[in-house]
Amino acid sequence: MTTSRISLSDIRAARERIAGKVERTPTVTSRSLSQHLGAAVYLKLEHRQTTGAFKLRGASNAIASLTEEERARGVVAASTGNHGRALAYAAQLQGIHATICMSRLVPQNKLDEIRRLGAEIRIVGNSQDDAQQEVERLVAEDGLIMLPPFDHPAIVAGQGTLGLEIIEQVPDAALVLVPLSGGGLAAGVAAAVKGVSPATKVVGVSMARGAAMKASLDAGHPVLVEELPTLADSLGGGIGLDNRLTFSMCRDLLDDVILLSEDEIATGIRHAYEQEREIVEGAGAVGIAAVLAGKVRASGPTVLVLSGRNIDMTLHRKIICGEAIAESAA
């Protein structure tokens, strides 16, 4: 795989590699959102993936791509939660030791699940960048193999398999809305979707509080942003000043980026629960939130990626009752 662009053939090879290791998640019609948007809206229910988020696709592909010598050394990654859970799960299946480095901003429920899957956890600092420094130390001193959450060819190709499913399930899709953080999902999905259906637009959706990829795209190069508490905690963290892959792919392939307030994200979470009967975390609700906020214009069938479902249920109940905004945005 090239380190500057992931091709459609890379993504198709990844699909073969992870077959039987991940779920082919369903896509369903949302009548309420279709009525709101004035165009057919489909929900790609990726939060029903085995570990609750799309991250299992990239993690499984990366683990499957390791040599025997690399497997023996063990793997390490920084994570805001969902990548760590996916990597822990994929590594456990292959008997590989995994170390996950996270900041103090990662919710406790995500820490507990990663620990349950047998991974070693390191809590370092108050940002994804702090956690990444610990990853780099472990690579240099202990020889662990770094499998980052987004800026890695095998990770991006694995995430791109989601895009193949979207176009197979909704061949006439005019627009795909994808949660946007470090860009692994957005880059992979955009490469797959546009590789099969060049006319389909792909738009990234993120929170307004600390959207690193959006700030970097605006600046024309990767930049640092302050990582802030947000309901979309899985979308937090930087993209890396030495970003090799996802920045350029998002710059070249995304048609737009939408930013959302905390109130808008909360509205998306509530709608998912009350109207779609789906429990999703903030990152999983951003597509719904963008539609409800009137920030989406569609000329045809629109697909929203819902991923993931790993929300603390006490927080979820507060959001449903309208109590969580001030707390999360403090």
Side-chain angles (χ1 to χ4, degrees), residues 49-65:
Q49 191 55 255
T50 303
T51 57
F54 69 90
K55 294 287 191 177
L56 186 59
R57 297 173 182 269
S60 295
N61 190 45
I63 288 289
S65 301

Side-chain angles (χ1 to χ4, degrees), residues 62-302:
I63 288 289
S65 301
L66 296 176
T67 66
E68 287 302 319
E69 187 270 339
E70 290 171 330
R71 290 171 180 239
R73 289 161 62 183
V75 298
V76 63
S79 175
T80 55
N82 286 336
H83 175 64
R85 181 174 180 175
L87 190 61
Y89 180 89
Q92 184 185 60
L93 287 181
Q94 299 298 319
I96 299 171
H97 183 265
T99 301
I100 310 301
C101 301
M102 293 176 286
S103 81
R104 297 185 183 93
L105 294 180
V106 176
Q108 186 63 43
N109 68 301
K110 295 185 177 182
L111 298 177
D112 292 343
E113 183 59 23
I114 293 170
R115 189 174 287 113
R116 186 187 70 79
L117 289 169
E120 179 182 347
I121 293 177
R122 303 282 183 96
I123 305 298
V124 183
N126 295 307
S127 73
Q128 183 85 331
D129 292 330
D130 292 336
Q132 181 60 32
Q133 290 181 8
E134 177 67 4
V135 169
E136 292 168 1
R137 186 188 70 80
L138 291 171
V139 170
E141 296 181 8
D142 297 345
L144 301 185
I145 302 299
M146 180 170 61
L147 295 179
F150 51 88
D151 197 35
H152 186 285
I155 297 291
V156 175
Q159 318 305 26
T161 63
L162 180 60
L164 294 180
E165 290 181 17
I166 288 173
I167 290 300
E168 289 166 357
Q169 293 166 333
V170 189
D172 59 343
L175 172 65
V176 178
L177 297 185
V178 187
L180 176 63
S181 179
L185 177 65
V189 167
V193 167
K194 290 179 177 291
V196 176
S197 177
T200 302
K201 293 185 177 181
V202 180
V203 171
V205 189
S206 194
M207 70 288 173
R209 294 172 59 83
M213 183 60 79
K214 173 63 167 141
S216 297
L217 293 173
D218 288 346
H221 58 84
V223 298
L224 294 175
V225 297
E226 182 181 2
E227 191 169 342
L228 300 169
T230 171
L231 289 175
D233 57 271
S234 293
L235 302 184
I239 71 167
L241 293 180
D242 59 348
N243 188 288
R244 301 178 304 125
L245 183 62
T246 60
F247 170 77
S248 60
M249 289 185 69
C250 287
R251 179 195 63 203
D252 296 344
L253 295 175
L254 291 183
D255 294 283
D256 198 3
V257 175
I258 295 170
L259 298 183
L260 299 166
S261 71
E262 296 298 294
D263 283 329
E264 289 166 342
I265 295 169
T267 298
I269 294 172
R270 281 193 291 270
H271 178 94
Y273 179 73
E274 295 171 352
Q275 300 297 323
E276 314 297 342
R277 298 297 188 260
E278 301 290 345
I279 295 176
V280 294
E281 58 189 274
V286 293
I288 293 175
V291 170
L292 295 175
K295 296 181 176 181
V296 177
R297 292 184 179 180
S299 58
T302 299

